[in-house]
């Protein structure tokens, strides 16, 4: 835990889109650099991999997790597991990441899972609902790092109108209440728009109470 994390006050969101609370540039440059260093250690223990969807297609986004549980997809389906596909337990969630949860969530529980998504050039994530967690009353908190990503927000069911917003490095989004089961996805990234990651790309963290 960073030394001041208990003193942080809950900020006001910069805007709200369909119940998603968006905090633009909540993380300072220094916090972003610290978080990247912490995530490098995580990815060293639990390497990124390309999950295969039940359809047999491999996702263009690379993933790994930290925390007690990690999200897995293979031909058998989507689920949370206690170990990385290599067999090692997931590394703990870094304090720099937990601090963000403490700052923007109401914090009755600490997340047991943090999914790490890496978007390299051309990667995208189709519209989907996050429904593999046990209790949808817990919010999901997302942290964007690196290149800009075009985030699309839909409805509680497939179809209907959507709204898109660019997420930039340091932005945080909280999906809670009725927004928790809204369809969403990442249409594209602006590869090379940020200097934070030496090889370019976008990292997204989602903090979840999975079990
Ligand atoms: C809304 N990730 O990992 S973060 C995902 O930028 C995911 O990598 C995107 O969708 C990304 O599942 C979007 C925003 C997000 C994350 C989780 C949600 C929105 C959500 C869970 C429920 C509702
Ligand atoms: Fe999602």
């Amino acid at each position: 835990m960073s030394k001041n994390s208990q003193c942080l006050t809950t900020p006001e969101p910069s805007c709200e889109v369909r119940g998603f609370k968006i905090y633009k540039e909540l993380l300072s440059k220094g916090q972003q650099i610290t978080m990247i260093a912490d995530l490098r250690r995580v990815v060293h223990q639990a390497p990124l991999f390309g999950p295969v969807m039940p359809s047999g297609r491999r996702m263009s986004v690379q993933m790994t997790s930290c925390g007690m549980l990690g999200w897995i997809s293979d031909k058998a389906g989507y689920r949370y597991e206690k170990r990385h596909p290599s067999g090692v337990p997931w590394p703990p969630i870094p304090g720099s990441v937990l601090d963000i949860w403490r700052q923007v969530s109401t914090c009755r529980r600490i997340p047991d899972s943090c999914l790490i998504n890496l978007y390299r050039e051309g990667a995208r994530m189709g519209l989907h609902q996050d429904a593999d967690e046990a209790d949808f009353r817990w919010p999901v908190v997302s942290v964007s790092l690196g290149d800009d990503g075009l985030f699309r927000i839909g409805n509680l069911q497939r179809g209907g109108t959507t709204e898109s917003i660019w997420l930039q490095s340091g932005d945080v989004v909280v999906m809670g209440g009725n927004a928790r089961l809204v369809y969403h996805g990442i249409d594209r990234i602006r590869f090379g728009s940020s200097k934070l990651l030496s090889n370019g790309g976008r990292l997204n963290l989602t903090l979840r109470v999975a079990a």
Side-chain angles (χ1 to χ4, degrees), residues 20 117 119 128 130 175 180 184 186 202 204 206 208:
F20 288 48
N117 295 332
Y119 296 74
H128 67 278
D130 287 42
M175 289 72 58
R180 176 63 182 76
H184 58 277
I186 295 286
R202 171 173 185 268
N204 182 263
T206 44
R208 301 149 186 268

Side-chain angles (χ1 to χ4, degrees), residues 68-150:
M68 294 303 291
L69 294 167
W71 189 83
I72 292 283
S73 175
D74 58 23
K75 287 194 116 168
Y78 309 137
R79 64 197 176 277
Y80 284 92
E81 291 272 13
K82 289 183 177 159
R83 288 170 187 274
H84 184 272
S86 68
V88 302
W90 306 103
I93 303 176
S96 59
V97 177
L98 288 175
D99 281 350
I100 304 305
W101 174 275
R102 295 186 182 105
Q103 196 180 355
V104 297
S105 79
T106 44
C107 200
R108 298 259 181 301
R109 242 183 98 175
I110 242 55
D112 53 18
S113 183
C114 173
L115 178 63
I116 301 167
N117 295 332
L118 174 64
Y119 296 74
R120 296 195 189 278
E121 193 165 15
R124 54 182 297 280
M125 188 181 286
L127 272 186
H128 67 278
Q129 213 173 19
D130 287 42
D132 301 320
E133 298 75 24
D135 185 344
F136 305 134
R137 289 173 300 183
W138 296 105
V140 174
V141 173
S142 147
V143 179
S144 292
L145 294 166
D147 289 341
D148 304 344
L150 186 58

Side-chain angles (χ1 to χ4, degrees), residues 18-48:
R18 301 194 180 191
F20 288 48
K21 290 187 168 65
I22 299 161
Y23 301 83
K24 298 297 290 177
E25 289 178 87
L26 186 66
L27 279 69
S28 67
K29 196 67 193 289
Q31 277 178 297
Q32 295 175 42
I33 290 167
T34 298
M35 211 177 273
I36 293 296
D38 293 342
L39 293 170
R40 280 199 197 291
R41 284 186 281 274
V42 167
V43 168
H44 185 76
Q45 305 291 309
L48 291 154

